[in-house]
Each structure stands twice: as C-alpha cells, then as structure tokens.
Amino acid sequence: MKKILVVGLGLIGGSLAMALQGFEDFEVVGAVRSQSTYDKAAARRAADRLTFDPAAELPGADVVVLCQDPAGIIGFLQEHRDRFKPGCLIWDVCGVKTAMMEAAKCLPDGADFIGCHPMAGKEVSGIDNAEATLFRNTHFIVTPGPRSTREHLDLLRRMAEHCRFGDVIETTPERHDEMIAYTSQLMHVIAVSVCDNDELFSCQGFEGGSFRDCTRVAALDPAMWTQLFILNAPALSRIAAQLEERIHQYRTAIEAGDREALNAMLARASGRKKQINLERARGDDVRPSF
C-alpha cells in the first residue's frame, strides 16, 4: 500500500486527511505535535494512522502534504530535505506560493514539489473544526515547479477530485500571489482595519448584514496572518495602495458633494459586481488557467 503523509492536522490538514481517506490504494498518515491534537484526531478518525514522528515516515511516503504555518513549512523542508523518498510528490497548502516555491529549491532532484492552495476555510481553526466536506465545490489552485511531472499533476487532480473540489486551476506562483493579494489578503486587511476602531463596541446593536459580512474574517490568527502578509508584501502593498487611492477618491467626492462623480463611481463598481454575479450564476466564472 502507498502512503500519504499529512503533516499538521489543524483545520485544513485535518480536513484533508479526512477527505483523502479511501483514495485509491493509499494509507493516510496524520502527523501531529501535541497529545491534545493526537487525542482529538484519534477520536474523530481523522487519518488511517497517527504519528508524532513525521521524519520517520518520510522515507516511505509517496505523497507528503505540508499543512503547517508558512514558517513551519519552510523549516520542515529545510530540516528534512534529505529524508524525502526519491520520486515522491510534496505539496503544501500555504496561501502564498512564491515564497514556498523558493523554499522548495533546497530539495534534492528526486523530490517533486508542487505548490497548492485549497481555497476553503472557516473563521475558526484547529482539528475540532475539521471536516471531510470542507473542500466541496471550492477551488484548488496548483503552481507546478520546474521539475513537476505530468504524472504527479495527474495524481494531484485525482486527489482533488476525491476531495470533491469544484475545479483545479493551474497557474504560476507569481500570478497566484497577485490574485490572492486582492481576493483574500486585502479582504483581511479591510476587516481588521474596520475592527481596529474604538467605535466598534459602541456600535453593538446597529450592525447589519453588510457589517457582519465585511468583518467576518477579522477574528484571524495574528501570528499566521503576519507571516502571510509579510511573505506577500510586494503584491499586497501594491494592491493596498490602489485601494487607498480609490477610498481617497470616494472621500473627495463625498466631502465636495460631487453627486455626478460619486454616482459614476458607484455605478461603475455596482455594474462590475453585477457582472461577476451573473457569470457565477451561469457557472462560467472559473477560468481553467491564467
């Protein structure tokens, strides 16, 4: 029997270990660090087998899925680069891809690292909140490396299909980071910026659905998101500067009472959002590649 080693059984790793069980002729082994996570994962049958020693499993692992925080993934690659099974497939779930692909350059020629990003999650974390159905109808982004083989890309697609992802999107690490800076990281910056205001608590009882939607992701993990923001600083800084300029334009129009300019900006943004909604309703909003 072949082996999939999932390193880190938090929300994403635990959900992947659950979802991957029963995939072809693979045994799913979950690697944890704490007794608490081990006990919870065992109670939930999060993997076929659990271990505290991922290093001992690496020589026999045909697929390794790295689900730690960014620093943990980089450190794991560097520390264990000579323990990976020759010809194995290694992939990660980090929300920044250029830095991960750069870190993977330390691996020997026999190891194939493919950057991945499951576009799924919750406002809560940990194995307690993991579920096998987390990835259903979500996007699975793949950024192949220079040594990536068609055999491994096909294997990834079959794993994604088994986990019930809605599609697999293949792109470059640089393009991924540009897109994620806009669609994910900027949204987190907005959410925490809105909540980083003394008026937050005095407004209780006056929050509508728009406020709750805007701030939904603000209760994030500060340590992990600090890493993600810094690792993707060039793209995130650029897109944040663009947002600052647009907000300034809205503020200028509002302060000047410029109804024509304000109406034009609102109409343009509203039209774009309606177009996106229409494409999504038709099912043609997903692009196979960039």
Side-chain angles (χ1 to χ4, degrees):
M1 177 174 284
K2 297 179 182 179
K3 179 166 63 179
I4 299 174
L5 175 63
V6 181
V7 184
L9 297 188
L11 173 65
I12 300 300
S15 297
L16 278 171
M18 293 177 183
L20 284 168
Q21 289 179 55
F23 173 67
E24 297 183 2
D25 58 342
F26 285 87
E27 174 193 31
V28 178
V29 180
V32 300
R33 291 189 301 176
S34 71
Q35 187 64 52
S36 174
T37 301
Y38 184 101
D39 293 341
K40 293 174 181 178
R44 302 196 62 193
R45 299 181 180 177
D48 296 318
R49 182 164 57 84
L50 298 170
T51 181
F52 285 109
D53 190 3
E57 303 286 343
L58 284 176
D62 302 278
V63 178
V64 181
V65 188
L66 302 178
C67 303
Q68 310 101 306
D69 65 6
I73 292 173
I74 293 172
F76 191 91
L77 289 171
Q78 293 173 342
E79 180 180 357
H80 302 295
R81 57 189 174 191
D82 295 323
R83 293 190 175 96
F84 291 94
K85 180 179 181 179
C88 72
L89 166 63
I90 308 164
W91 54 281
D92 75 310
V93 300
C94 181
V96 176
K97 295 274 69 83
T98 303
M100 295 301 106
M101 301 301 291
E102 184 67 25
K105 289 180 179 180
C106 72
L107 296 171
D109 291 341
D112 185 359
F113 183 91
I114 298 179
C116 297
H117 187 184
M119 294 298 295
K122 299 179 181 180
E123 302 89 78
V124 289
S125 60
I127 187 66
D128 293 315
N129 301 293
E131 55 181 280
T133 59
L134 182 67
F135 309 105
R136 291 189 177 181
N137 300 318
T138 63
H139 305 312
F140 187 62
I141 304 178
V142 175
T143 62
R147 299 195 299 262
S148 297
T149 66
R150 176 47 54 187
E151 177 185 3
H152 282 153
L153 286 168
D154 289 343
L155 175 59
L156 258 180
R157 287 183 176 274
R158 297 201 305 274
M159 283 189 281
E161 181 178 357
H162 183 82
C163 293
R164 305 293 296 275
F165 281 96
D167 53 69
V168 178
I169 301 175
E170 187 174 322
T171 186
T172 66
E174 296 78 13
R175 184 57 173 160
H176 167 276
D177 290 354
E178 291 173 354
M179 300 293 281
I180 292 303
Y182 174 59
T183 63
S184 176
Q185 294 179 343
L186 185 64
M187 301 304 106
H188 286 74
V189 170
I190 292 170
V192 295
S193 297
V194 170
C195 290
D196 192 11
N197 189 316
D198 291 340
E199 293 192 20
L200 177 66
F201 296 101
S202 65
C203 293
Q204 293 185 73
F206 290 83
E207 316 99 324
S210 59
F211 185 88
R212 289 189 291 272
D213 289 345
C214 176
T215 59
R216 179 180 63 83
V217 296
L220 44 69
D221 178 342
M224 185 183 74
W225 281 92
T226 296
Q227 293 183 52
L228 292 171
F229 287 169
I230 296 300
L231 285 172
N232 202 25
L236 182 55
S237 296
R238 179 178 57 81
I239 203 70
Q242 292 176 1
L243 177 63
E244 289 173 354
E245 176 59 28
R246 287 193 295 272
I247 290 176
H248 177 72
Q249 291 172 359
Y250 277 99
R251 178 183 171 185
T252 299
I254 292 168
E255 289 179 342
D258 191 338
R259 293 176 179 271
E260 183 176 349
L262 183 58
N263 183 75
M265 288 188 290
L266 292 172
R268 182 173 64 250
S270 175
R272 288 177 171 177
K273 176 58 177 173
K274 289 174 182 177
Q275 180 63 29
I276 286 289
N277 291 346
L278 180 61
E279 292 182 3
R280 182 171 293 112
R282 291 198 305 249
D284 60 357
D285 61 312
V286 175
R287 304 292 184 264
S289 62
F290 292 106

